[in-house]
Amino acid sequence: MSCIVSLNVFAQNQGTVKVKGEVLAPLELNKEDFGSYKKISVKVKDRDAKVHEFAGVALIEILEKAGVPTGSKLRGQNLVKYILIQAADGYEVVYSLPEIDPEFTDHIIMLATEKDGQPLPSGEGPFRIIAPNDKKQARWIREVQTIRINSAKN
Ligand SMILES: Nc1nc2c(c(=O)[nH]1)N[C@H]1C(S)=C(S)[C@@H](COP(=O)(O)O)O[C@H]1N2
Ligand SMILES: [Mo]
């Protein structure tokens, strides 16, 4: 039993999130890499109807480090780009770039790594999107593996 538990902890620590697609610098990040990011937190009601404090980094900061056009560059052709987020179980959700860009909105979309001071548990983490301003939690995607920038232009 203790063996299974420690294997599970090991698997969690190995978790990475990939940033790819139409980015200048593809990234593969683990929790330690987020040490150089600004840590943010938010208290918000989860689906269990209880308020939890989630901590992590802003999705926009990750995309900026990957060279995705944000702020003043987010215009013209760049406005048909979108963020496709894919999870370990095959679940996928989309956000648009202006939805997460601070020049367009004050809404924060977080890539959370902690809940109530603890790493996110297996099945939820190690990375989970928290979008406090989405009243419905369907885009609070758990077990995030890949953040892909695509263009909707055809
Ligand atoms: N990886 C992953 N994240 C997911 C889902 C999923 O199926 N897989 N379901 C979504 C939907 S539709 C909802 S309503 C909530 C459900 O959260 P809950 O299972 O904690 O109630 O998670 C969202 N995040
Ligand atoms: Mo849902």
Side-chain angles (χ1 to χ4, degrees), residues 47 91 136 138:
R47 293 257 297 172
Y91 192 71
K136 193 173 164 78

Side-chain angles (χ1 to χ4, degrees), residues 18-152:
K18 294 192 177 103
V19 186
K20 50 188 182 184
E22 296 198 15
V23 301
L24 290 178
L27 302 172
E28 181 163 0
L29 303 164
N30 59 33
K31 275 192 205 171
E32 287 67 44
D33 295 319
F34 291 129
S36 63
Y37 286 61
K38 184 180 171 217
K39 192 168 182 179
I40 59 172
S41 68
V42 63
K43 284 189 179 136
V44 64
K45 213 179 260 182
D46 201 354
R47 293 257 297 172
D48 61 6
K50 293 185 190 133
V51 174
H52 296 280
E53 181 166 17
F54 291 95
V57 300
L59 184 54
I60 190 75
E61 190 179 352
I62 300 173
L63 296 189
E64 278 168 351
K65 292 218 162 79
V68 175
T70 59
S72 58
K73 292 194 191 113
L74 189 43
R75 55 193 180 78
Q77 296 292 301
N78 287 331
L79 282 171
V80 293
K81 290 181 181 164
Y82 61 92
I83 310 158
L84 174 66
I85 307 181
Q86 301 168 304
D89 61 352
Y91 192 71
E92 300 176 304
V93 301
V94 162
Y95 289 90
S96 73
L97 288 175
E99 264 186 301
I100 75 157
D101 191 301
E103 286 195 16
F104 285 81
T105 179
D106 290 327
H107 294 177
I108 295 283
I109 313 290
M110 175 195 290
L111 187 73
T113 55
E114 288 175 19
K115 180 162 77 175
D116 303 323
Q118 298 297 318
L120 290 172
S122 164
E124 184 173 345
F127 308 106
R128 178 188 178 192
I129 291 288
I130 301 295
N133 291 95
D134 270 15
K135 286 197 283 179
K136 193 173 164 78
Q137 279 119 337
R139 294 196 297 174
W140 296 27
I141 179 171
R142 300 181 295 261
E143 297 182 277
V144 173
Q145 285 189 330
T146 305
I147 299 167
R148 177 183 283 280
I149 305 301
N150 284 345
S151 172

